[in-house]
Amino acid sequence: MPRRERRAQLLSSALEVFVAQGYHAAAMDDIAERAGVSKPVLYQHFPGKLDLYLALLDVSCDQIIDNCRVALESTQDNKLRVGAAVDAFFEYVANDSGAFRLVFESDLTNELAVREHVDRVTSECAALIAHVIHDDTGLPDPASRLLAVSLVGMAQVSARFWLSEAGDIGRSEAAALVSALAWRGIRGYPKTDEH
């Protein structure tokens, strides 16, 4: 198998094991077995369990940040932007892979490298949103960033809550409820004269 395909296979198998068992309980033996390879083959691609976990975090973090970017670029209508951005988080946590657990529910957040990866999601998504807020309202950068971090936090925490405890509320309805709450708050900041 070509190196790139093997790496993808190993990451996929590792994702399944880490999501099911968490970082501390997962063993490289389990991951190698799930991938159908020997442990030496696994170590050829990833020198250790933390390296493998960080590689998975890179993929997972990039995905949610890209989803947020796509949501914001999907329209110029800010109400629709809020809805699309919130839905990006709901869609991400609803994905059957469970990859969101690595980002939002990691049992290894005391590890600096992991914490930096996890914080990157909030930071980069908030930066994307803050740019829109600043451009549209003329609010100073620190104020725009604070509002953006608040929106990201609202979307991320409510999406995780919905997945675990929201009962019979469908994904679209849940995202619409949170979007409506967020929009009612953020629309109070008027657009600048240029917009």
Side-chain angles (χ1 to χ4, degrees):
M1 183 179 286
R3 184 168 180 78
R4 186 180 184 137
E5 289 177 30
R6 174 69 73 198
R7 182 177 169 87
Q9 175 200 23
L10 296 172
L11 286 171
S12 176
S13 297
L15 176 62
E16 292 174 17
V17 172
F18 283 131
V19 166
Q21 299 177 17
Y23 178 83
H24 295 294
M28 293 296 268
D29 287 328
D30 297 334
I31 295 166
E33 183 179 322
R34 177 74 54 100
V37 300
S38 66
K39 216 160 107 174
V41 169
L42 180 58
Y43 281 113
Q44 286 174 353
H45 293 269
F46 303 99
K49 185 165 77 165
L50 181 58
D51 300 294
L52 179 53
Y53 193 81
L54 292 174
L56 277 171
L57 271 179
D58 276 336
V59 172
S60 297
C61 292
D62 288 347
Q63 181 182 1
I64 189 63
I65 293 164
D66 288 345
N67 292 352
C68 187
R69 180 180 293 107
V70 167
L72 293 171
E73 293 173 353
S74 67
T75 181
Q76 294 299 307
D77 181 306
N78 285 333
K79 182 178 182 182
L80 296 177
R81 274 183 175 151
V82 169
V86 168
D87 191 58
F89 282 89
F90 276 81
E91 181 180 4
Y92 181 71
V93 301
N95 185 297
D96 289 338
S97 73
F100 82 94
R101 294 189 191 288
L102 300 179
V103 179
F104 299 132
E105 297 177 0
S106 176
D107 59 348
L108 195 61
T109 54
N110 60 337
E111 173 70 40
L112 180 61
V114 172
R115 181 83 251 146
E116 288 172 351
H117 278 70
V118 171
D119 289 346
R120 183 170 69 91
V121 171
T122 299
S123 177
E124 292 190 26
C125 287
L128 294 167
I129 294 168
H131 180 73
V132 173
I133 292 171
H134 173 77
D135 285 354
D136 281 1
T137 66
L139 284 172
D141 288 337
S144 296
R145 184 140 176 88
L146 178 61
L147 291 174
V149 168
S150 299
L151 290 171
V152 169
M154 178 188 292
Q156 184 249 117
V157 171
S158 60
R160 288 176 43 225
F161 175 82
W162 164 77
L163 188 65
S164 65
E165 298 185 37
D168 295 334
I169 301 174
R171 190 195 98 197
S172 295
E173 181 184 355
L177 284 168
V178 174
S179 297
L181 175 63
W183 176 246
R184 286 183 179 126
I186 198 70
R187 76 175 178 199
Y189 295 91
K191 287 188 168 191
T192 63
D193 293 337
E194 295 87 41
H195 298 284

